[in-house]
Amino acid sequence: MSREEITGVLIRKLGSWTSGEELAASFGISRAAVWKHVQSLRAEGYEIEASRRGYRLSYLPDLLSEDLVKAGLNTKFVGRTVISHPSLESTNAEAKKIAPTAENGTVLLAEVQTTGRGRMERAWHSPKGGVWMSVILKPKIPPALAFRVNSAASVAVARALEGLYGLGVGIKWPNDLMVGEKKVCGILTEIGAEMDSLEYAVVGIGINANLDLDSFPEDWKATSISGELGRKVSRAKLVQRVLEEMERACEEISASFDRVMGEWSARSATLGRRVKIITRSGEFEGRAEALEADGALLVRRDDGIGERVLAGDCVHLRPAEE
Ligand code: BT5
């Protein structure tokens, strides 16, 4: 019997009473042990009333605890193991440590990251209220196709944000999720690989969920879900939906990647725009013309030459042309 199972029962019966006797009997433990679990849940912020009728959960805290993320999660393998930390330097750094031995679909969460990272060693601001998460995936694909995991993740988060909140989400190449011109989510995928096989992919997802953006520099052009909706959202529900969509998109990685690519293109906030591309070897401007099958962005320079960009930064210069 685990605490997780008791929480699961209380969550399913949110707002109704369950007798202590019934809980004790169904999990084969004493009533005193049930009471101990209830107290530890209360200490975490769950509001649980106790009376002669038993226990009644009346308030779910906005926590990314293992219990809350797993209760009602509808996946086969993503999120079977969930590890939650109050604070970590970076969920990606921690995930890479455990990835070689972790099971496929393991999820790491932190309420706060002290040194969250973006691409190219940039800092990712990760205060309380966001979703800072890494998912360890072990798809059976060659390392050359690892970019597919990244595309699948952006499509998955976009599907989740749209499905849950009706937010129109665009994907800015390579994989920033935008509401209008503002960034709501960043994704950083890191891999471990042998010559011919991918050992693991750590997909780091940072979603500005319930964040007040006053502390964010204006020039980051960031937004948050709560800022867009004017209300806070349940982060546990958000994580669940992202994990469900991730699993679906993962299954499409090998079976029907065309569908992911099609959706990635259809959701692209970059195609058709004038962009500035910044790579390690320099920068240039042009018009973003197409997304290619290997994830490259095809940019037509002003002198007519087409450039395939596989890695780098892309700055949107003007709104999409009609
Ligand atoms: C990204 O990098 O967009 C990838 C961010 C991935 C973060 C997740 S959180 C869980 C996991 N663990 C980690 O340590 N990381 C991953 P990039 O495209 O390089 O964008 C970074 C830039 O975005 C920064 O230089 C800032 O300008 C801006 N920025 C930083 N924090 C932000 C935030 N919370 N929201 C919006 N923009 C932000």
Side-chain angles (χ1 to χ4, degrees), residues 81 83 95 97-108 136 138 200:
T81 303
I83 308 166
K97 279 189 211 154
I98 65 166
T101 54
E103 75 169 330
N104 186 17
T106 298
V107 173
L108 263 121
I136 300 169
K138 301 189 166 179
Y200 63 80

Side-chain angles (χ1 to χ4, degrees), residues 159-225:
R159 286 176 183 166
L161 298 186
E162 208 163 272
L164 280 173
Y165 317 118
L167 282 176
V169 179
I171 304 174
K172 176 171 166 287
W173 188 88
N175 47 16
D176 287 348
L177 296 193
M178 314 292 286
V179 177
E181 298 293 310
K182 294 181 167 177
K183 180 160 166 174
V184 70
C185 166
I187 297 174
L188 171 68
T189 300
E190 299 180 86
I191 62 165
E194 301 278 322
M195 281 293 278
D196 54 359
S197 68
L198 189 70
E199 195 195 342
Y200 63 80
V202 165
V203 185
I205 302 175
I207 309 176
N208 295 337
N210 296 330
L211 290 188
D212 174 0
L213 298 164
D214 288 351
S215 65
F216 283 56
E218 187 93 0
D219 65 341
W220 282 6
K221 293 200 190 136
T223 189
S224 64
I225 297 172

Side-chain angles (χ1 to χ4, degrees), residues 99-137:
T101 54
E103 75 169 330
N104 186 17
T106 298
V107 173
L108 263 121
L109 288 153
E111 292 289 341
V112 171
Q113 292 185 122
T114 51
T115 47
R117 284 178 308 117
R119 295 179 304 131
M120 296 172 236
E121 302 302 318
R122 287 187 285 240
W124 183 258
H125 195 41
S126 318
K128 212 169 162 49
V131 167
W132 321 126
M133 160 164 91
S134 298
V135 184
I136 300 169
L137 295 171

Side-chain angles (χ1 to χ4, degrees), residues 53-65:
R53 296 159 73 186
Y55 299 106
R56 176 163 77 173
L57 178 64
S58 49
Y59 173 78
L60 284 177
D62 182 32
L63 276 180
L64 292 182
S65 65

